[in-house]
Amino acid sequence: IDELGVNPAVLDRFGAGSLETACEMASGLARVSGCELCVSVTGEAGPESSEGKPVGTIYVGLCYKGETHAVQIPMRNNGRSWNRRYAVLNMLHEIYKAVK
């Protein structure tokens, strides 16, 4: 909330691990950093869910040239370490799709 300017109402309504929060984080980072491309990753990496969503639910937010979107990454609960690595690979894929 403080660093990126994420709207507290978005967090209250959708939770920290959501498409909406991923968008807020990416656009907030673009605002505070002045960068042309900003990425956020949020979700439930495990081992337990803090928001009642299935472990492995991951969202990648991307703000590129002022346009922001987020995607849900379909995953299985293969453990925290695997989930985190898979999220990073998907984040890199979203960057590739945006800039190609």
Side-chain angles (χ1 to χ4, degrees), residues 29-92:
L29 182 57
R31 242 184 343 270
V32 300
S33 70
C35 292
E36 183 176 66
L37 176 101
C38 293
V39 180
S40 66
V41 177
T42 188
E44 298 291 343
E48 296 177 7
S49 172
S50 61
E51 296 182 352
K53 296 175 184 168
V55 171
T57 304
I58 303 294
Y59 304 95
V60 174
L62 186 95
C63 183
Y64 182 55
K65 295 184 177 180
E67 297 210 13
T68 305
H69 76 278
V71 295
Q72 181 177 349
I73 307 301
M75 299 198 342
R76 299 182 309 272
N77 183 9
N78 287 332
R80 183 177 177 82
S81 179
W82 188 92
N83 288 345
R84 291 177 69 141
R85 287 186 183 107
Y86 192 68
V88 169
L89 288 174
N90 279 275
M91 176 195 67
L92 293 170

Side-chain angles (χ1 to χ4, degrees), residues 1-33:
I1 292 172
D2 294 338
E3 291 183 32
L4 301 178
V6 172
N7 185 342
V10 170
L11 286 172
D12 288 342
R13 182 168 180 196
F14 300 104
S18 66
L19 288 169
E20 295 80 6
T21 299
C23 285
E24 286 273 320
M25 291 168 61
S27 62
L29 182 57
R31 242 184 343 270
V32 300
S33 70

